[in-house]
PDB file of all heavy atoms in Angstrom:
ATOM      1  N   GLY I  21      -0.223 147.243 160.379  1.00  0.00           N
ATOM      2  CA  GLY I  21       0.786 148.050 161.042  1.00  0.00           C
ATOM      3  C   GLY I  21       0.268 148.804 162.228  1.00  0.00           C
ATOM      4  O   GLY I  21       0.917 149.759 162.699  1.00  0.00           O
ATOM      5  N   ASN I  22      -0.863 148.414 162.782  1.00  0.00           N
ATOM      6  CA  ASN I  22      -1.464 149.075 163.940  1.00  0.00           C
ATOM      7  C   ASN I  22      -1.273 148.214 165.197  1.00  0.00           C
ATOM      8  O   ASN I  22      -2.141 147.420 165.590  1.00  0.00           O
ATOM      9  CB  ASN I  22      -2.950 149.342 163.707  1.00  0.00           C
ATOM     10  CG  ASN I  22      -3.190 150.302 162.554  1.00  0.00           C
ATOM     11  OD1 ASN I  22      -2.451 151.280 162.407  1.00  0.00           O
ATOM     12  ND2 ASN I  22      -4.192 150.007 161.732  1.00  0.00           N
ATOM     13  N   GLU I  23      -0.105 148.365 165.859  1.00  0.00           N
ATOM     14  CA  GLU I  23       0.184 147.563 167.042  1.00  0.00           C
ATOM     15  C   GLU I  23      -0.742 147.917 168.210  1.00  0.00           C
ATOM     16  O   GLU I  23      -1.106 147.046 169.001  1.00  0.00           O
ATOM     17  CB  GLU I  23       1.645 147.755 167.454  1.00  0.00           C
ATOM     18  CG  GLU I  23       2.628 147.127 166.491  1.00  0.00           C
ATOM     19  CD  GLU I  23       4.045 147.180 167.029  1.00  0.00           C
ATOM     20  OE1 GLU I  23       4.223 147.629 168.192  1.00  0.00           O
ATOM     21  OE2 GLU I  23       4.969 146.773 166.301  1.00  0.00           O
ATOM     22  N   ASP I  24      -1.065 149.223 168.313  1.00  0.00           N
ATOM     23  CA  ASP I  24      -1.943 149.618 169.428  1.00  0.00           C
ATOM     24  C   ASP I  24      -3.312 148.927 169.321  1.00  0.00           C
ATOM     25  O   ASP I  24      -3.868 148.459 170.329  1.00  0.00           O
ATOM     26  CB  ASP I  24      -2.121 151.132 169.433  1.00  0.00           C
ATOM     27  CG  ASP I  24      -0.845 151.861 169.832  1.00  0.00           C
ATOM     28  OD1 ASP I  24       0.022 151.195 170.461  1.00  0.00           O
ATOM     29  OD2 ASP I  24      -0.735 153.042 169.514  1.00  0.00           O
ATOM     30  N   ASP I  25      -3.800 148.897 168.086  1.00  0.00           N
ATOM     31  CA  ASP I  25      -5.091 148.192 167.895  1.00  0.00           C
ATOM     32  C   ASP I  25      -4.938 146.705 168.201  1.00  0.00           C
ATOM     33  O   ASP I  25      -5.827 146.094 168.807  1.00  0.00           O
ATOM     34  CB  ASP I  25      -5.578 148.379 166.458  1.00  0.00           C
ATOM     35  CG  ASP I  25      -5.992 149.813 166.171  1.00  0.00           C
ATOM     36  OD1 ASP I  25      -6.173 150.573 167.146  1.00  0.00           O
ATOM     37  OD2 ASP I  25      -6.127 150.154 164.982  1.00  0.00           O
ATOM     38  N   ALA I  26      -3.795 146.174 167.796  1.00  0.00           N
ATOM     39  CA  ALA I  26      -3.552 144.751 168.061  1.00  0.00           C
ATOM     40  C   ALA I  26      -3.523 144.486 169.556  1.00  0.00           C
ATOM     41  O   ALA I  26      -4.039 143.459 170.041  1.00  0.00           O
ATOM     42  CB  ALA I  26      -2.246 144.316 167.408  1.00  0.00           C
ATOM     43  N   ARG I  27      -2.896 145.443 170.313  1.00  0.00           N
ATOM     44  CA  ARG I  27      -2.863 145.270 171.771  1.00  0.00           C
ATOM     45  C   ARG I  27      -4.274 145.265 172.367  1.00  0.00           C
ATOM     46  O   ARG I  27      -4.567 144.506 173.286  1.00  0.00           O
ATOM     47  CB  ARG I  27      -2.030 146.391 172.394  1.00  0.00           C
ATOM     48  CG  ARG I  27      -0.543 146.261 172.157  1.00  0.00           C
ATOM     49  CD  ARG I  27       0.208 147.300 173.003  1.00  0.00           C
ATOM     50  NE  ARG I  27       1.641 147.215 172.751  1.00  0.00           N
ATOM     51  CZ  ARG I  27       2.294 147.951 171.851  1.00  0.00           C
ATOM     52  NH1 ARG I  27       1.597 148.827 171.097  1.00  0.00           N
ATOM     53  NH2 ARG I  27       3.606 147.827 171.677  1.00  0.00           N
ATOM     54  N   VAL I  28      -5.149 146.148 171.874  1.00  0.00           N
ATOM     55  CA  VAL I  28      -6.539 146.205 172.380  1.00  0.00           C
ATOM     56  C   VAL I  28      -7.249 144.875 172.140  1.00  0.00           C
ATOM     57  O   VAL I  28      -7.923 144.345 173.022  1.00  0.00           O
ATOM     58  CB  VAL I  28      -7.309 147.361 171.703  1.00  0.00           C
ATOM     59  CG1 VAL I  28      -8.794 147.296 172.089  1.00  0.00           C
ATOM     60  CG2 VAL I  28      -6.721 148.704 172.094  1.00  0.00           C
ATOM     61  N   PHE I  29      -7.080 144.354 170.936  1.00  0.00           N
ATOM     62  CA  PHE I  29      -7.734 143.065 170.601  1.00  0.00           C
ATOM     63  C   PHE I  29      -7.167 141.907 171.444  1.00  0.00           C
ATOM     64  O   PHE I  29      -7.917 141.055 171.919  1.00  0.00           O
ATOM     65  CB  PHE I  29      -7.551 142.767 169.109  1.00  0.00           C
ATOM     66  CG  PHE I  29      -8.309 143.701 168.219  1.00  0.00           C
ATOM     67  CD1 PHE I  29      -7.725 144.176 167.031  1.00  0.00           C
ATOM     68  CD2 PHE I  29      -9.604 144.122 168.539  1.00  0.00           C
ATOM     69  CE1 PHE I  29      -8.412 145.037 166.187  1.00  0.00           C
ATOM     70  CE2 PHE I  29     -10.291 144.982 167.690  1.00  0.00           C
ATOM     71  CZ  PHE I  29      -9.698 145.439 166.525  1.00  0.00           C
ATOM     72  N   LEU I  30      -5.850 141.948 171.651  1.00  0.00           N
ATOM     73  CA  LEU I  30      -5.233 140.864 172.438  1.00  0.00           C
ATOM     74  C   LEU I  30      -5.617 140.959 173.916  1.00  0.00           C
ATOM     75  O   LEU I  30      -5.743 139.937 174.601  1.00  0.00           O
ATOM     76  CB  LEU I  30      -3.716 140.923 172.287  1.00  0.00           C
ATOM     77  CG  LEU I  30      -3.184 140.531 170.899  1.00  0.00           C
ATOM     78  CD1 LEU I  30      -1.671 140.721 170.826  1.00  0.00           C
ATOM     79  CD2 LEU I  30      -3.545 139.075 170.581  1.00  0.00           C
ATOM     80  N   LYS I  31      -5.797 142.217 174.403  1.00  0.00           N
ATOM     81  CA  LYS I  31      -6.244 142.385 175.792  1.00  0.00           C
ATOM     82  C   LYS I  31      -7.644 141.800 175.974  1.00  0.00           C
ATOM     83  O   LYS I  31      -7.924 141.098 176.967  1.00  0.00           O
ATOM     84  CB  LYS I  31      -6.238 143.867 176.153  1.00  0.00           C
ATOM     85  CG  LYS I  31      -6.642 144.120 177.599  1.00  0.00           C
ATOM     86  CD  LYS I  31      -6.613 145.608 177.906  1.00  0.00           C
ATOM     87  CE  LYS I  31      -7.028 145.855 179.365  1.00  0.00           C
ATOM     88  NZ  LYS I  31      -7.044 147.302 179.705  1.00  0.00           N
ATOM     89  N   LYS I  32      -8.505 142.064 175.000  1.00  0.00           N
ATOM     90  CA  LYS I  32      -9.870 141.510 175.066  1.00  0.00           C
ATOM     91  C   LYS I  32      -9.826 139.992 174.961  1.00  0.00           C
ATOM     92  O   LYS I  32     -10.556 139.282 175.668  1.00  0.00           O
ATOM     93  CB  LYS I  32     -10.712 142.079 173.916  1.00  0.00           C
ATOM     94  CG  LYS I  32     -12.162 141.631 173.932  1.00  0.00           C
ATOM     95  CD  LYS I  32     -12.879 142.096 175.208  1.00  0.00           C
ATOM     96  CE  LYS I  32     -14.355 141.724 175.184  1.00  0.00           C
ATOM     97  NZ  LYS I  32     -15.042 142.138 176.422  1.00  0.00           N
ATOM     98  N   LYS I  33      -8.933 139.504 174.121  1.00  0.00           N
ATOM     99  CA  LYS I  33      -8.768 138.064 173.970  1.00  0.00           C
ATOM    100  C   LYS I  33      -8.345 137.451 175.298  1.00  0.00           C
ATOM    101  O   LYS I  33      -8.850 136.380 175.702  1.00  0.00           O
ATOM    102  CB  LYS I  33      -7.734 137.763 172.898  1.00  0.00           C
ATOM    103  CG  LYS I  33      -7.381 136.281 172.814  1.00  0.00           C
ATOM    104  CD  LYS I  33      -6.127 136.048 171.997  1.00  0.00           C
ATOM    105  CE  LYS I  33      -5.646 134.623 172.151  1.00  0.00           C
ATOM    106  NZ  LYS I  33      -4.369 134.381 171.451  1.00  0.00           N
ATOM    107  N   GLN I  34      -7.414 138.136 176.015  1.00  0.00           N
ATOM    108  CA  GLN I  34      -6.944 137.610 177.294  1.00  0.00           C
ATOM    109  C   GLN I  34      -8.066 137.564 178.324  1.00  0.00           C
ATOM    110  O   GLN I  34      -8.181 136.603 179.101  1.00  0.00           O
ATOM    111  CB  GLN I  34      -5.796 138.475 177.804  1.00  0.00           C
ATOM    112  CG  GLN I  34      -5.103 137.922 179.034  1.00  0.00           C
ATOM    113  CD  GLN I  34      -4.473 136.567 178.785  1.00  0.00           C
ATOM    114  OE1 GLN I  34      -3.715 136.403 177.830  1.00  0.00           O
ATOM    115  NE2 GLN I  34      -4.780 135.579 179.629  1.00  0.00           N
ATOM    116  N   GLU I  35      -8.892 138.608 178.321  1.00  0.00           N
ATOM    117  CA  GLU I  35     -10.052 138.622 179.249  1.00  0.00           C
ATOM    118  C   GLU I  35     -10.978 137.441 178.969  1.00  0.00           C
ATOM    119  O   GLU I  35     -11.475 136.775 179.888  1.00  0.00           O
ATOM    120  CB  GLU I  35     -10.808 139.940 179.097  1.00  0.00           C
ATOM    121  CG  GLU I  35     -10.043 141.142 179.600  1.00  0.00           C
ATOM    122  CD  GLU I  35     -10.779 142.435 179.322  1.00  0.00           C
ATOM    123  OE1 GLU I  35     -11.857 142.368 178.662  1.00  0.00           O
ATOM    124  OE2 GLU I  35     -10.292 143.508 179.733  1.00  0.00           O
ATOM    125  N   LEU I  36     -11.201 137.197 177.682  1.00  0.00           N
ATOM    126  CA  LEU I  36     -12.077 136.079 177.302  1.00  0.00           C
ATOM    127  C   LEU I  36     -11.426 134.734 177.621  1.00  0.00           C
ATOM    128  O   LEU I  36     -12.111 133.767 177.985  1.00  0.00           O
ATOM    129  CB  LEU I  36     -12.412 136.161 175.811  1.00  0.00           C
ATOM    130  CG  LEU I  36     -13.287 137.347 175.398  1.00  0.00           C
ATOM    131  CD1 LEU I  36     -13.399 137.419 173.875  1.00  0.00           C
ATOM    132  CD2 LEU I  36     -14.685 137.220 176.014  1.00  0.00           C
ATOM    133  N   ALA I  37     -10.106 134.683 177.498  1.00  0.00           N
ATOM    134  CA  ALA I  37      -9.389 133.448 177.820  1.00  0.00           C
ATOM    135  C   ALA I  37      -9.515 133.134 179.305  1.00  0.00           C
ATOM    136  O   ALA I  37      -9.673 131.965 179.706  1.00  0.00           O
ATOM    137  CB  ALA I  37      -7.924 133.584 177.408  1.00  0.00           C
ATOM    138  N   ASP I  38      -9.404 134.187 180.151  1.00  0.00           N
ATOM    139  CA  ASP I  38      -9.586 133.983 181.598  1.00  0.00           C
ATOM    140  C   ASP I  38     -11.009 133.489 181.885  1.00  0.00           C
ATOM    141  O   ASP I  38     -11.220 132.593 182.716  1.00  0.00           O
ATOM    142  CB  ASP I  38      -9.326 135.298 182.348  1.00  0.00           C
ATOM    143  CG  ASP I  38      -7.861 135.723 182.275  1.00  0.00           C
ATOM    144  OD1 ASP I  38      -7.013 134.848 181.989  1.00  0.00           O
ATOM    145  OD2 ASP I  38      -7.581 136.910 182.495  1.00  0.00           O
ATOM    146  N   LYS I  39     -11.966 134.107 181.197  1.00  0.00           N
ATOM    147  CA  LYS I  39     -13.359 133.675 181.356  1.00  0.00           C
ATOM    148  C   LYS I  39     -13.529 132.241 180.892  1.00  0.00           C
ATOM    149  O   LYS I  39     -14.311 131.461 181.457  1.00  0.00           O
ATOM    150  CB  LYS I  39     -14.271 134.609 180.558  1.00  0.00           C
ATOM    151  CG  LYS I  39     -15.747 134.250 180.639  1.00  0.00           C
ATOM    152  CD  LYS I  39     -16.574 135.197 179.786  1.00  0.00           C
ATOM    153  CE  LYS I  39     -18.040 134.826 179.809  1.00  0.00           C
ATOM    154  NZ  LYS I  39     -18.858 135.730 178.959  1.00  0.00           N
ATOM    155  N   ASN I  40     -12.793 131.859 179.878  1.00  0.00           N
ATOM    156  CA  ASN I  40     -12.899 130.524 179.308  1.00  0.00           C
ATOM    157  C   ASN I  40     -12.553 129.442 180.321  1.00  0.00           C
ATOM    158  O   ASN I  40     -13.153 128.363 180.325  1.00  0.00           O
ATOM    159  CB  ASN I  40     -11.983 130.413 178.088  1.00  0.00           C
ATOM    160  CG  ASN I  40     -12.570 129.490 177.031  1.00  0.00           C
ATOM    161  OD1 ASN I  40     -13.745 129.618 176.686  1.00  0.00           O
ATOM    162  ND2 ASN I  40     -11.769 128.580 176.513  1.00  0.00           N
ATOM    163  N   GLU I  41     -11.573 129.722 181.187  1.00  0.00           N
ATOM    164  CA  GLU I  41     -11.176 128.737 182.195  1.00  0.00           C
ATOM    165  C   GLU I  41     -12.327 128.456 183.161  1.00  0.00           C
ATOM    166  O   GLU I  41     -12.587 127.316 183.521  1.00  0.00           O
ATOM    167  CB  GLU I  41      -9.946 129.246 182.960  1.00  0.00           C
ATOM    168  CG  GLU I  41      -8.691 129.344 182.124  1.00  0.00           C
ATOM    169  CD  GLU I  41      -8.310 128.027 181.493  1.00  0.00           C
ATOM    170  OE1 GLU I  41      -8.390 126.990 182.185  1.00  0.00           O
ATOM    171  OE2 GLU I  41      -7.959 128.022 180.294  1.00  0.00           O
ATOM    172  N   GLY I  42     -13.002 129.517 183.555  1.00  0.00           N
ATOM    173  CA  GLY I  42     -14.162 129.334 184.438  1.00  0.00           C
ATOM    174  C   GLY I  42     -15.293 128.570 183.756  1.00  0.00           C
ATOM    175  O   GLY I  42     -15.955 127.732 184.361  1.00  0.00           O
ATOM    176  N   LEU I  43     -15.482 128.887 182.478  1.00  0.00           N
ATOM    177  CA  LEU I  43     -16.534 128.197 181.735  1.00  0.00           C
ATOM    178  C   LEU I  43     -16.209 126.712 181.546  1.00  0.00           C
ATOM    179  O   LEU I  43     -17.104 125.859 181.584  1.00  0.00           O
ATOM    180  CB  LEU I  43     -16.728 128.863 180.366  1.00  0.00           C
ATOM    181  CG  LEU I  43     -17.381 130.251 180.380  1.00  0.00           C
ATOM    182  CD1 LEU I  43     -17.376 130.843 178.982  1.00  0.00           C
ATOM    183  CD2 LEU I  43     -18.807 130.167 180.924  1.00  0.00           C
ATOM    184  N   LYS I  44     -14.916 126.407 181.383  1.00  0.00           N
ATOM    185  CA  LYS I  44     -14.522 125.000 181.266  1.00  0.00           C
ATOM    186  C   LYS I  44     -14.822 124.230 182.549  1.00  0.00           C
ATOM    187  O   LYS I  44     -15.310 123.097 182.520  1.00  0.00           O
ATOM    188  CB  LYS I  44     -13.033 124.898 180.940  1.00  0.00           C
ATOM    189  CG  LYS I  44     -12.674 125.242 179.508  1.00  0.00           C
ATOM    190  CD  LYS I  44     -11.172 125.083 179.281  1.00  0.00           C
ATOM    191  CE  LYS I  44     -10.809 125.408 177.837  1.00  0.00           C
ATOM    192  NZ  LYS I  44      -9.333 125.288 177.619  1.00  0.00           N
ATOM    193  N   VAL I  45     -14.513 124.867 183.691  1.00  0.00           N
ATOM    194  CA  VAL I  45     -14.800 124.235 184.986  1.00  0.00           C
ATOM    195  C   VAL I  45     -16.305 123.999 185.141  1.00  0.00           C
ATOM    196  O   VAL I  45     -16.753 122.929 185.557  1.00  0.00           O
ATOM    197  CB  VAL I  45     -14.272 125.100 186.145  1.00  0.00           C
ATOM    198  CG1 VAL I  45     -14.734 124.545 187.487  1.00  0.00           C
ATOM    199  CG2 VAL I  45     -12.745 125.183 186.088  1.00  0.00           C
ATOM    200  N   ALA I  46     -17.095 125.016 184.771  1.00  0.00           N
ATOM    201  CA  ALA I  46     -18.553 124.901 184.888  1.00  0.00           C
ATOM    202  C   ALA I  46     -19.084 123.810 183.963  1.00  0.00           C
ATOM    203  O   ALA I  46     -19.961 123.014 184.356  1.00  0.00           O
ATOM    204  CB  ALA I  46     -19.211 126.239 184.559  1.00  0.00           C
ATOM    205  N   TYR I  47     -18.546 123.784 182.751  1.00  0.00           N
ATOM    206  CA  TYR I  47     -19.022 122.778 181.801  1.00  0.00           C
ATOM    207  C   TYR I  47     -18.645 121.365 182.247  1.00  0.00           C
ATOM    208  O   TYR I  47     -19.455 120.442 182.146  1.00  0.00           O
ATOM    209  CB  TYR I  47     -18.445 123.047 180.420  1.00  0.00           C
ATOM    210  CG  TYR I  47     -18.707 121.897 179.462  1.00  0.00           C
ATOM    211  CD1 TYR I  47     -19.992 121.632 179.009  1.00  0.00           C
ATOM    212  CD2 TYR I  47     -17.655 121.066 179.038  1.00  0.00           C
ATOM    213  CE1 TYR I  47     -20.241 120.567 178.149  1.00  0.00           C
ATOM    214  CE2 TYR I  47     -17.899 120.011 178.179  1.00  0.00           C
ATOM    215  CZ  TYR I  47     -19.188 119.752 177.739  1.00  0.00           C
ATOM    216  OH  TYR I  47     -19.435 118.702 176.908  1.00  0.00           O
ATOM    217  N   THR I  48     -17.430 121.201 182.763  1.00  0.00           N
ATOM    218  CA  THR I  48     -16.990 119.877 183.230  1.00  0.00           C
ATOM    219  C   THR I  48     -17.898 119.381 184.357  1.00  0.00           C
ATOM    220  O   THR I  48     -18.325 118.213 184.370  1.00  0.00           O
ATOM    221  CB  THR I  48     -15.536 119.938 183.718  1.00  0.00           C
ATOM    222  OG1 THR I  48     -14.687 120.343 182.637  1.00  0.00           O
ATOM    223  CG2 THR I  48     -15.081 118.580 184.235  1.00  0.00           C
ATOM    224  N   ALA I  49     -18.214 120.269 185.299  1.00  0.00           N
ATOM    225  CA  ALA I  49     -19.099 119.904 186.414  1.00  0.00           C
ATOM    226  C   ALA I  49     -20.497 119.574 185.905  1.00  0.00           C
ATOM    227  O   ALA I  49     -21.128 118.591 186.333  1.00  0.00           O
ATOM    228  CB  ALA I  49     -19.154 121.041 187.426  1.00  0.00           C
ATOM    229  N   ALA I  50     -21.006 120.396 184.980  1.00  0.00           N
ATOM    230  CA  ALA I  50     -22.340 120.162 184.436  1.00  0.00           C
ATOM    231  C   ALA I  50     -22.391 118.843 183.671  1.00  0.00           C
ATOM    232  O   ALA I  50     -23.381 118.093 183.755  1.00  0.00           O
ATOM    233  CB  ALA I  50     -22.742 121.312 183.521  1.00  0.00           C
ATOM    234  N   ALA I  51     -21.321 118.539 182.940  1.00  0.00           N
ATOM    235  CA  ALA I  51     -21.278 117.286 182.177  1.00  0.00           C
ATOM    236  C   ALA I  51     -21.254 116.081 183.116  1.00  0.00           C
ATOM    237  O   ALA I  51     -21.913 115.069 182.860  1.00  0.00           O
ATOM    238  CB  ALA I  51     -20.049 117.282 181.268  1.00  0.00           C
ATOM    239  N   GLU I  52     -20.484 116.196 184.210  1.00  0.00           N
ATOM    240  CA  GLU I  52     -20.429 115.098 185.184  1.00  0.00           C
ATOM    241  C   GLU I  52     -21.783 114.900 185.857  1.00  0.00           C
ATOM    242  O   GLU I  52     -22.239 113.759 186.049  1.00  0.00           O
ATOM    243  CB  GLU I  52     -19.356 115.389 186.234  1.00  0.00           C
ATOM    244  CG  GLU I  52     -17.927 115.304 185.689  1.00  0.00           C
ATOM    245  CD  GLU I  52     -16.889 115.647 186.735  1.00  0.00           C
ATOM    246  OE1 GLU I  52     -17.289 116.075 187.845  1.00  0.00           O
ATOM    247  OE2 GLU I  52     -15.678 115.499 186.431  1.00  0.00           O
ATOM    248  N   ASN I  53     -22.420 116.014 186.218  1.00  0.00           N
ATOM    249  CA  ASN I  53     -23.749 115.917 186.835  1.00  0.00           C
ATOM    250  C   ASN I  53     -24.755 115.281 185.882  1.00  0.00           C
ATOM    251  O   ASN I  53     -25.581 114.433 186.287  1.00  0.00           O
ATOM    252  CB  ASN I  53     -24.245 117.302 187.256  1.00  0.00           C
ATOM    253  CG  ASN I  53     -23.504 117.835 188.454  1.00  0.00           C
ATOM    254  OD1 ASN I  53     -22.940 117.070 189.238  1.00  0.00           O
ATOM    255  ND2 ASN I  53     -23.471 119.157 188.605  1.00  0.00           N
ATOM    256  N   ALA I  54     -24.703 115.692 184.633  1.00  0.00           N
ATOM    257  CA  ALA I  54     -25.635 115.144 183.634  1.00  0.00           C
ATOM    258  C   ALA I  54     -25.388 113.656 183.441  1.00  0.00           C
ATOM    259  O   ALA I  54     -26.331 112.863 183.315  1.00  0.00           O
ATOM    260  CB  ALA I  54     -25.470 115.884 182.307  1.00  0.00           C
ATOM    261  N   SER I  55     -24.110 113.261 183.434  1.00  0.00           N
ATOM    262  CA  SER I  55     -23.777 111.844 183.269  1.00  0.00           C
ATOM    263  C   SER I  55     -24.307 111.026 184.444  1.00  0.00           C
ATOM    264  O   SER I  55     -24.892 109.941 184.258  1.00  0.00           O
ATOM    265  CB  SER I  55     -22.261 111.679 183.145  1.00  0.00           C
ATOM    266  OG  SER I  55     -21.916 110.299 183.058  1.00  0.00           O
ATOM    267  N   LYS I  56     -24.119 111.539 185.652  1.00  0.00           N
ATOM    268  CA  LYS I  56     -24.607 110.830 186.844  1.00  0.00           C
ATOM    269  C   LYS I  56     -26.129 110.721 186.833  1.00  0.00           C
ATOM    270  O   LYS I  56     -26.692 109.672 187.162  1.00  0.00           O
ATOM    271  CB  LYS I  56     -24.149 111.561 188.108  1.00  0.00           C
ATOM    272  CG  LYS I  56     -22.650 111.460 188.364  1.00  0.00           C
ATOM    273  CD  LYS I  56     -22.260 112.249 189.609  1.00  0.00           C
ATOM    274  CE  LYS I  56     -20.755 112.185 189.854  1.00  0.00           C
ATOM    275  NZ  LYS I  56     -20.356 112.989 191.034  1.00  0.00           N
ATOM    276  N   MET I  57     -26.775 111.818 186.450  1.00  0.00           N
ATOM    277  CA  MET I  57     -28.234 111.802 186.426  1.00  0.00           C
ATOM    278  C   MET I  57     -28.759 110.851 185.362  1.00  0.00           C
ATOM    279  O   MET I  57     -29.757 110.146 185.577  1.00  0.00           O
ATOM    280  CB  MET I  57     -28.770 113.212 186.183  1.00  0.00           C
ATOM    281  CG  MET I  57     -28.605 114.159 187.355  1.00  0.00           C
ATOM    282  SD  MET I  57     -29.470 113.611 188.852  1.00  0.00           S
ATOM    283  CE  MET I  57     -31.174 113.742 188.331  1.00  0.00           C
TER     284      MET I  57
END
């Protein structure tokens, strides 16, 4: 029953989700480079 706490956790989750998109791009590029090499 603690919505405020839930909002804090979801805000952190959103920050990590945004970070996740960048990490996916980096991983995709690294995987392609590794495959070529």
Side-chain angles (χ1 to χ4, degrees):
N22 297 320
E23 290 188 5
D24 290 340
D25 291 345
R27 287 189 182 93
V28 172
F29 292 140
L30 290 176
K31 182 180 180 181
K32 183 62 176 179
K33 173 194 169 184
Q34 188 61 52
E35 291 175 356
L36 293 173
D38 292 340
K39 180 182 178 181
N40 213 48
E41 293 303 317
L43 289 174
K44 285 181 179 179
V45 172
Y47 170 70
T48 299
E52 290 178 353
N53 288 337
S55 177
K56 290 178 182 178
M57 289 299 294

